[in-house]
Amino acid sequence: MLTPDDISGDPTKFTMDQKETIDAILNDYGKRDGRYLSDLTHMERPWREARKGLEPLERGSSIIDPNTMVDYYGGLIEAEEPAEPEKTQT
C-alpha cells in the first residue's frame, strides 16, 4: 500500500488544502492495484467519449478533451464520491 511517506519531494511547497487533497487521494487509491485503477478510469465518461466508435481492445489515438475532463471530474468533486468500477471478467 502506498502512503504519503513513500512519495519524494518537498511537501512544504504545498498549501494545507493541497496536502489534504493529496492525502485523501493516497488514502482512497494508494491501496488499489493497477487493474482496479485502470478499470476505474476506463469506465469514466472522458475515456469512453475519446474511444467512441472503437472496439474494446482496439488501439485508439484520440486525445481526451480537457473540457470533458473538467466537466466530469468537477462533478465528482461536488459529489465527493468516486464511482466504483464494474467487475470485469478475466
Side-chain angles (χ1 to χ4, degrees):
M1 180 163 120
L2 188 63
T3 67
D5 294 330
D6 295 326
I7 307 299
S8 63
D10 185 356
T12 65
K13 302 282 185 187
F14 295 110
T15 66
M16 185 56 70
D17 189 48
Q18 290 169 326
K19 289 178 187 179
E20 289 173 0
T21 299
I22 292 167
D23 287 345
I25 290 167
L26 290 174
N27 287 334
D28 286 346
Y29 298 109
K31 61 185 173 236
R32 305 294 186 168
D33 64 20
R35 179 60 186 231
Y36 176 93
L37 297 172
S38 178
D39 289 347
L40 182 66
T41 60
H42 292 179
M43 66 177 258
E44 294 172 338
R45 184 168 50 94
W47 176 268
R48 289 192 329 263
E49 286 184 11
R51 292 194 46 80
K52 196 172 286 185
L54 297 175
E55 295 295 323
L57 298 177
E58 185 177 354
R59 192 171 205 80
S61 61
S62 296
I63 296 173
I64 296 174
D65 183 339
N67 292 321
T68 302
M69 289 190 286
V70 167
D71 180 56
Y72 179 78
Y73 294 109
L76 287 182
I77 291 169
E78 291 172 12
E80 297 183 349
E81 287 293 323
E84 286 291 323
E86 296 176 10
K87 300 279 189 222
T88 57
Q89 295 179 350
T90 56

